Amino acid sequence: MPMELTQSRIQKIWLPHDNHPALPRRSCGPQLTNSPTVIVMVGLPARGKTYISKKLTRYLNWIGVPTKVFNVGEYRREAVKHYSSYDFFRPDNEEGMNVRKQCALAALRDVKLYLSEEGGQIAVFDATNTTRERRGMVLNFARENGFKVFFIESVCNDPSVVATNVMAVKLSSPDYRDCNSTDAMEDFMNRINCYQASYQPLDPDNYDRDVSLIKVIDVGRRFLVNRVQDHIQSRIVYYLMNIHVQPRTIYLCRHGESEFNLKGKIGGDSGLSNRGKKFASALNKFVEEQNLKDLKIWTSQLKRTIQTAEALKLSYEQWKALNEIDAGVCEEMTYEEIKEKHPEEFALRDQDKYYYRYPSGESYQDLVQRLEPVIMELERQENVLVVCHQAVMRCLLAYFLDKSAAEMPYLKCPLHTVLKLTPVAYGCRVESICLNVEAVNTHRDQTENMNSSQKQS
């Protein structure tokens, strides 16, 4: 007999009609791993391992794959409250070696808990892991627990790049809280030397030929990939091959105020209002003042973003992926009309705005999947201005600011305001610039009738 199905009211997807308990919320995301994966970082200190770990984790969480970083250095700082000098890391310091091993084991216990009991799909084990013995320990741990392993090794032998990384990140570490920069730099370079003596790089041609890995060489100048096992590993490789660390600025803004904005209507393809046209002119002046070299401008394929970009007198590229969220049967309606004609849909969207899918339309979850190619290309580029829409801008902003799915649909992205994003060491600095042209407020706050579990998700 064919299985009976029922359609979920929020997501509009078909589910088995049975008495099984509801799946946890995170199960609504794409299941890209058929078994949990441990990503194991490899490399000498100051090679960008933590940078890669944090950035990759931000990306994976954004696309809906629950991911968490386990930084062994943080476990070590918890175990050893006062750091004295690089002597702690000397290979002949038995006490230090034992403490470091115990910290690695403590981190692996938390990895197991996260992947086995807390719903995680990917754990990033962020440590040097520079010896075959240590990597073998991690491989045995993964084998015993049924986890896949993917190694990411960052290799860089350019002294200037290493020194820049030490100055930018390591000298502000809690290890050097009460130390001047000269002494801190000397101590950290000695710490690197302690690891260098016993460093055994991954060897995909011989010893590690059966291991899944990617070597990132000289901050992305070259890559070496070996035995990619599954879809998620291929996505990780693709992501790592697109990111770069060159200084750049990303500007996000919405189109100028539209005729439908004035009427309170959502969606549609209306043109700019008079104030929207004034904003377009103000945006042109703002862009000229920024004096940016080789600025790329991207718009959606909707009239209001194209009219805004036309005022800039610069070439621009239209992306269908940047079109506003499709409101389906609710397109070109006001919220009052939706509440009157589709009262259940109106209530369902307030109940779970990220996963809610408009009938014959899209959800924020759908929008994230649609925008992934845009994020990939943004990571490849240098200076870019993206002229887009409210829901689209929220999704892009959530990626750069590491916001959760619950926060994403409520991020404030007002009309006639430019957000200037500047990537920094472990995150992104954001500056909000109002161009002083009045516009309607299209933001709807989160309703208070949500249950507490959703508020906390």
Side-chain angles (χ1 to χ4, degrees), residues 32 37 42 129 132 191 218-219 248 264 300 304 369 377:
L32 298 177
T37 298
V42 178
N129 298 309
R132 288 172 179 169
R191 187 193 297 192
D218 291 338
V219 204
R248 42 63 174 278
S300 73
R304 50 198 185 273
Q369 302 304 311
E377 194 59 26

Side-chain angles (χ1 to χ4, degrees), residues 66-110:
T67 306
K68 186 176 179 181
V69 178
F70 296 83
N71 181 282
V72 177
E74 293 178 4
Y75 286 79
R76 188 261 303 166
R77 278 185 278 274
E78 187 65 29
V80 182
K81 299 295 185 184
H82 179 69
Y83 172 78
S84 55
S85 78
Y86 72 91
D87 285 337
F88 179 82
F89 294 95
R90 288 168 60 108
D92 59 353
N93 183 339
E94 290 187 16
E95 183 182 356
M97 291 284 282
N98 184 56
V99 169
R100 287 155 58 198
K101 183 174 182 179
Q102 292 308 311
C103 289
L105 290 171
L108 289 175
R109 285 194 292 272
D110 287 346

